[in-house]
């Protein structure tokens, strides 16, 4: 059961509200620039079927890079570990999430990990399906199952906005295609990837996804094993080592739980065998993480002694 102490969520939100002033919403994807930088919300789901929330927990936002964890799980189920990791590495990077540098200087064009853009694009290219329609339908079905929310879909507006401005991601794709990491048509892959990133959720949905990962792929509500335990563990390991872009090391020290952020302001986090957390705060720091969201998780982890370390 969620600790009664957790009912102080509104107080914690008040403590972190001022941090939104030091961040900025993402503008390089035009459709994200309309977010309210003052928004901050949180939801927590535990395995005893309790959910608490506070603030702007029901505001919809897009997954963006949080989707990388979800498609990694699906690709691992589709293709197996040997295939996936023959194309994508397992090592963290200190470079920005959209950097092309390591593709040129490391193992010929093999992305270092699935949480940077190059790695995520390679992973998305592995999703099984006869067409993009079938592939995005499978991704949506997977998200809907974890969230227990059949209404979840992607934002056409955000997907189009991303597709029209994703020149660097196209460059990453062409570079990897030249070196045999991907064999997909680049424009088809970009279409699928932008739709994946544009899937809309709120904090409550995100917290339920976090709960599934925290329970090693098991849904304690439906009693269904949604993904194999070893795949959930792989995803959580990447969340610890690479989930917060090139601030992952500092996050591991300050907070110490598996988490993945996205530039729309979301943070997915999980407390092992206990709870999932969904946070929304679109005011970002220079590395692309929610400023107030990071502080909120830091306070919660310290208060509840959640660090895995």
């Amino acid at each position: 059961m969620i600790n009664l102490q957790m009912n102080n969520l509104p107080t914690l939100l008040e403590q972190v509200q001022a941090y939104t002033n030091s961040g900025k919403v993402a503008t390089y994807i035009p459709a994200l620039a309309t977010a309210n930088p003052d928004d901050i919300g949180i939801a927590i789901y535990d395995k005893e079927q309790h959910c608490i929330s506070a603030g702007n927990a029901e505001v919809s936002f897009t997954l963006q890079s949080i989707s990388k964890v979800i498609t990694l799980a699906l690709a691992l189920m589709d293709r197996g570990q040997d295939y996936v990791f023959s194309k994508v590495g397992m090592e963290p990077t200190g470079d920005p999430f959209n950097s092309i540098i390591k593709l040129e200087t490391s193992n010929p064009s093999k992305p270092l990990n699935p949480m940077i853009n190059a790695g995520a694009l390679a992973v998305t290219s592995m999703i099984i399906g006869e067409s993009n329609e079938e592939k995005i339908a499978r991704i949506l079905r997977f998200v809907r199952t974890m969230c227990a929310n059949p209404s979840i879909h992607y934002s056409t507006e955000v997907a189009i906005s991303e597709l029209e401005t994703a020149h660097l991601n196209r460059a990453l794709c062409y570079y990897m295609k030249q070196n045999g990491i991907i064999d997909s048509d680049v424009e088809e892959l970009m279409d699928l990837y932008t739709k994946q990133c544009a899937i809309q959720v709120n904090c409550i949905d995100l917290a339920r996804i976090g709960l599934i990962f925290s329970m090693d792929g098991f849904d304690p509500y439906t009693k269904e094993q949604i993904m194999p335990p070893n795949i959930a563990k792989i995803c959580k390991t990447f969340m610890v080592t690479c989930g917060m872009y090139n601030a992952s090391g500092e996050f591991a020290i300050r907070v110490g739980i598996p988490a993945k952020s996205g530039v729309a302001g979301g943070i997915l986090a999980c407390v092992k065998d206990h709870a999932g957390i969904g946070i929304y705060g679109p005011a970002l720091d220079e590395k692309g993480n929610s400023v107030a969201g990071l502080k909120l998780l830091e306070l919660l982890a310290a208060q509840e002694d959640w660090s895995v370390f």
Side-chain angles (χ1 to χ4, degrees):
M1 181 181 294
I2 294 173
N3 193 310
L4 291 178
Q5 191 177 4
M6 300 304 297
N7 287 330
N8 71 346
L9 285 183
T11 301
L12 290 175
L13 287 184
E14 288 179 13
Q15 291 180 39
V16 304
Q17 183 67 58
Y19 285 84
T20 62
N21 298 328
S22 61
K24 296 180 180 179
V25 299
T27 57
Y28 68 95
I29 300 171
L32 299 185
T34 60
N36 182 354
D38 296 328
D39 280 352
I40 180 70
I42 183 171
I44 303 174
Y45 253 114
D46 77 2
K47 64 181 179 181
E48 306 296 334
Q49 303 190 27
H50 298 100
C51 178
I52 59 174
S53 61
N56 305 109
E58 296 187 20
V59 171
S60 292
F61 54 93
T62 52
L63 286 173
Q64 298 301 324
S65 285
I66 298 171
S67 68
K68 296 171 180 177
V69 181
I70 294 164
T71 51
L72 174 61
L74 192 57
L76 285 166
M77 288 190 284
D78 280 353
R79 303 281 190 171
Q81 292 182 49
D82 290 345
Y83 181 85
V84 171
F85 296 123
S86 71
K87 302 287 188 180
V88 181
M90 303 180 186
E91 298 302 323
T93 174
D95 297 317
F97 62 90
N98 56 1
S99 174
I100 198 170
I101 294 173
K102 288 295 194 299
L103 290 183
E104 296 183 281
T105 58
S106 61
N107 185 7
S109 211
K110 181 178 179 178
L112 280 180
N113 67 69
M115 298 296 108
I116 55 176
N117 284 14
L121 287 159
V123 166
T124 296
S125 75
M126 302 177 199
I127 302 298
I128 289 176
E130 292 297 319
S131 65
N132 269 8
E133 288 72 20
E134 182 180 345
K135 292 174 184 178
I136 192 63
R138 293 188 65 233
I139 295 170
L140 283 169
R141 191 180 310 123
F142 191 42
V143 175
R144 290 166 180 164
T145 299
M146 285 192 283
C147 294
N149 183 352
S151 69
I152 283 176
H153 209 274
Y154 62 84
S155 165
T156 302
E157 177 192 2
V158 174
I160 291 173
S161 182
E162 292 195 51
L163 190 61
E164 290 176 345
T165 57
H167 307 305
L168 182 51
N169 278 346
R170 283 182 175 85
L172 296 172
C173 287
Y174 280 114
Y175 200 91
M176 289 188 289
K177 187 165 185 174
Q178 175 68 28
N179 288 279
I181 299 298
I182 66 172
D183 54 18
S184 308
D185 177 86
V186 169
E187 283 307 309
E188 286 188 8
L189 176 55
M190 288 303 307
D191 176 71
L192 178 61
Y193 183 73
T194 53
K195 288 175 179 174
Q196 158 198 317
C197 290
I199 293 173
Q200 288 185 300
V201 296
N202 60 28
C203 291
I204 296 167
D205 298 319
L206 206 55
R208 205 172 188 289
I209 295 173
L211 176 63
I212 303 304
F213 279 107
S214 77
M215 300 298 294
D216 289 339
F218 179 73
D219 187 335
Y221 290 35
T222 65
K223 310 303 180 186
E224 178 185 359
Q225 189 73 44
I226 294 174
M227 71 185 82
N230 67 309
I231 288 178
K233 289 175 181 177
I234 289 170
C235 292
K236 286 188 289 185
T237 303
F238 278 117
M239 289 164 74
V240 170
T241 60
C242 315
M244 306 302 285
Y245 304 126
N246 49 326
S248 297
E250 180 179 355
F251 182 84
I253 292 170
R254 291 184 180 276
V255 182
I257 60 176
K260 182 71 193 85
S261 61
V263 295
I267 301 177
L268 165 72
C270 43
V271 183
K272 183 172 174 56
D273 297 328
H274 179 57
I277 306 165
I279 288 177
Y280 174 59
L284 310 178
D285 62 20
E286 69 282 355
K287 294 179 180 176
N289 296 315
S290 171
V291 182
L294 288 179
K295 189 62 180 179
L296 182 56
L297 270 179
E298 183 180 344
L299 293 174
L300 275 171
Q303 172 184 289
E304 301 299 316
D305 193 24
W306 278 344
S307 175
V308 297
F309 305 107

